[in-house]
Amino acid sequence: MFGLALEGGGTLGAAHIGVLRALQESGLVPSSVSGTSAGAIVAGAYAWRGQLQDVEDLLTQASQMGNRLLDLNVGGIINLVTHWVWHHEMHYTGVFKGDRLEKLVNDTVEGAMLAEARLPLAIPAVDLVTGELVIFASRQPNDHGLQHWVRDASIAEAVRASTSIPGIFVPKGLENQVLVDGGVLQNLPVAAVRQLGEDRILGVSLRVAGAENTMPKNLIDVARGTLNAISHSLERSQRQEAAFVLDIILPEGSGTFTFDKMPEFVDIGYETTIRHLPQIKKAFAQTIPAMSRRVSVLAVRG
């Protein structure tokens, strides 16, 4: 019995599918799951019925749609220009609406609500109104902590909120909340799954080889780079709460929207996990709570 915490990272999140596949083949099946941003997509689809096939089907559709999954926020862009020309005010919400992604997830899980998820599920987002961490959850947490917990929402709504990269996707409005990517405050959601009652947690972190030396080329790179800088500074405490954190290193040049590389990311996640199963099992066998361990693996195909 263990919880799985999946980090965000755009299309890099396809690597999480490889992790799940390797764990399942090895008889290590998570009893609960949390995910932020891209990790939320995988976590939501997997928690619905506890079936890896659901996640793989979603990946196939997303990969086939590619950039068509990104629905341009034409009205918002026109509104931005109009307000700037006539009022010298900048009313900006995001480049993409995110509706197609929400529909894809909703279709995959057949419109299921959070409470209908077979596995305990936690998905972080951030409310721009209050600055508060919001956790979408399929059940009541053992300890609410300082977060606001939401249960009356669909799995797709939770995923949509957690994937709304600030400045790139339009925030998700839900009641009086304006919700964006949970990676702003909790990109590796170890604490979220721990509050569902898990003692042993496997965290999966995503990195791109050489990313620290790469100059941003566009607005998306700037937004994602800013978010990564913030989330990485907050990630240390999350790592310390995990029994084991597996760092998966993706090839140089991989990015938020490199849809064509998603099948390769799956393979890298699988191969990395298989190679480090002995360390994972050893960490889980230790007295709970296990000491946090970290493995950084250069898994770039050369």
Side-chain angles (χ1 to χ4, degrees):
M1 302 282 287
F2 69 97
L4 186 64
L6 306 176
E7 189 172 64
T11 52
L12 307 181
H16 293 316
I17 299 175
V19 173
L20 276 168
R21 185 182 298 163
L23 292 173
Q24 184 169 289
E25 289 179 1
S26 305
L28 294 175
V29 180
S31 51
S32 59
V33 61
S34 63
T36 298
S37 198
I41 299 173
V42 176
Y46 184 69
W48 172 47
R49 297 191 304 181
Q51 298 293 324
L52 181 59
Q53 186 63 51
D54 293 326
V55 192
E56 293 177 332
D57 289 346
L58 191 154
L59 165 73
T60 299
Q61 294 181 67
S63 182
Q64 290 174 346
M65 291 181 69
N67 288 329
R68 291 185 291 112
L69 191 60
L70 306 174
D71 42 357
L72 195 64
N73 181 25
V74 177
I77 294 173
I78 293 174
N79 187 49
L80 166 66
V81 175
T82 301
H83 272 80
W84 178 254
V85 171
W86 291 103
H87 306 290
H88 297 289
E89 296 176 352
M90 185 170 287
H91 288 202
Y92 177 70
T93 55
V95 178
F96 305 113
K97 292 185 287 186
D99 294 342
R100 290 178 189 167
L101 174 60
E102 183 173 346
K103 183 179 185 305
L104 176 60
V105 174
N106 198 56
D107 290 347
T108 298
V109 302
E110 299 181 357
M113 301 296 286
L114 287 166
E116 297 177 84
R118 180 168 298 179
L119 296 181
L121 170 67
I123 295 176
V126 174
D127 184 3
L128 291 181
V129 176
T130 63
E132 184 177 45
L133 183 65
V134 175
I135 308 291
F136 290 89
S138 61
R139 61 189 243 183
Q140 288 289 349
N142 288 354
D143 176 16
H144 281 76
L146 300 177
Q147 298 84 28
H148 178 67
W149 289 74
V150 174
R151 296 187 64 208
D152 187 19
S154 70
I155 293 175
E157 286 175 325
V159 170
R160 168 73 173 82
S162 190
T163 54
S164 297
I165 304 171
I168 302 303
F169 284 95
V170 175
K172 174 66 176 178
L174 196 64
E175 296 183 350
N176 297 321
Q177 298 173 321
V178 179
L179 301 166
V180 296
D181 196 324
V184 173
L185 293 178
Q186 197 174 108
N187 200 35
L188 182 64
V190 174
V193 74
R194 180 176 292 280
Q195 286 173 285
L196 292 180
E198 293 291 354
D199 290 313
R200 297 185 301 182
I201 300 168
L202 172 63
V204 182
S205 179
L206 307 172
R207 295 289 184 271
V208 175
E212 63 278 4
N213 300 318
T214 303
M215 294 292 292
K217 300 180 180 65
N218 49 50
L219 175 62
I220 293 174
D221 287 348
V222 172
R224 174 51 73 179
T226 302
L227 184 60
N228 285 344
I230 296 171
S231 62
H232 289 169
S233 67
L234 299 173
E235 192 174 300
R236 183 176 301 175
S237 62
Q238 296 298 307
R239 288 178 172 272
Q240 292 173 345
E241 291 192 45
F244 194 93
V245 176
L246 180 64
D247 285 334
I248 299 182
I249 314 299
L250 288 310
E252 189 171 351
S254 304
T256 305
F257 299 132
T258 47
F259 292 99
D260 59 318
K261 294 185 177 182
M262 290 174 70
E264 180 182 1
F265 297 160
V266 175
D267 291 341
I268 292 174
Y270 177 86
E271 293 162 3
T272 304
T273 308
I274 289 294
R275 285 199 303 271
H276 292 85
L277 280 172
Q279 294 98 315
I280 295 171
K281 291 179 179 180
K282 182 178 179 180
F284 283 172
Q286 293 177 343
T287 302
I288 298 172
M291 295 295 292
S292 177
R293 293 172 181 263
R294 173 181 178 178
V295 59
S296 296
V297 183
L298 185 60
V300 181
R301 294 178 176 181

